[in-house]
């Protein structure tokens, strides 16, 4: 696994790193998307299926949520995508940001990731591959969390 250090990413972006610039056929933003997706597949391999999926640690997910928010604050492409290599019948397909947020963050930690999902949708990210159920669940989490104090595990 790679170590993610959100303050370093924020510092690089604040000092001029650009999230959407291609280097060796990919961007830093696409790499962050791919890293987020790979959290749920700790076994490396070409053909991994949904049954190989495991729940990533909450700490890893919270760090990546912070990274995503930082990238978006510095102009990351709302409709960016990454190549998904595991978990589906068609590996190597490009999947958009909202798919990654839904498939990783909302699947495992909806209470933490609902604000990111709402922010992406409100800013115009493509919701082509995101189900109406996921959007409604994000809105419901917002209503529930407004009624109760924040609990950290």
């Amino acid at each position: 696994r790679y170590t993610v250090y959100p303050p370093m990413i924020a510092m690089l972006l604040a000092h001029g790193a650009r999230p959407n610039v291609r280097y060796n056929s990919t961007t830093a933003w696409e790499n962050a998307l791919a890293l987020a997706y790979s959290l749920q597949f700790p076994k490396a391999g070409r053909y991994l299926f949904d049954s190989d999926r495991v729940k990533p640690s909450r700490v890893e997910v919270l760090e990546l949520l912070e990274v995503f928010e930082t990238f978006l604050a510095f102009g990351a492409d709302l409709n960016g995508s990454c190549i998904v290599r595991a978990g589906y019948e068609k590996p190597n397909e490009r999947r958009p940001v909202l798919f990654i947020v839904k498939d990783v963050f909302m699947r495992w930690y909806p209470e933490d990731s609902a604000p990111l999902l709402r922010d992406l949708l409100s800013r115009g990210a493509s919701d082509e591959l995101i189900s109406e159920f996921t959007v409604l669940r994000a809105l419901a989490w917002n209503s529930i969390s407004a009624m109760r104090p924040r609990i950290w595990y």
Side-chain angles (χ1 to χ4, degrees), residues 62-105:
L62 289 176
E63 285 179 340
L64 276 170
L65 280 169
E66 185 178 343
V67 167
F68 272 46
E69 290 164 355
T70 302
F71 268 108
L72 292 168
F74 282 92
D77 183 3
L78 293 173
N79 295 308
S81 62
C82 73
I83 294 176
V84 172
R85 301 188 190 284
Y88 292 91
E89 294 176 5
K90 297 178 182 176
N92 299 325
E93 284 189 337
R94 292 195 81 74
R95 300 294 179 144
V97 174
L98 284 176
F99 175 87
I100 303 300
V101 170
K102 173 185 116 9
D103 205 55
V104 180
F105 302 133

Side-chain angles (χ1 to χ4, degrees), residues 1-4 35-43 54-57 60:
R1 294 247 194 218
Y2 295 103
T3 301
V4 175
L35 176 63
Y37 187 77
S38 73
L39 284 180
Q40 46 188 351
F41 294 99
K43 291 191 276 182
V54 297
K55 184 176 184 175
S57 81
E60 288 176 309

Side-chain angles (χ1 to χ4, degrees), residues 21-22 36 38 85 103 116 122:
V21 172
R22 291 217 170 272
S38 73
R85 301 188 190 284
D103 205 55
L116 175 63
S122 71

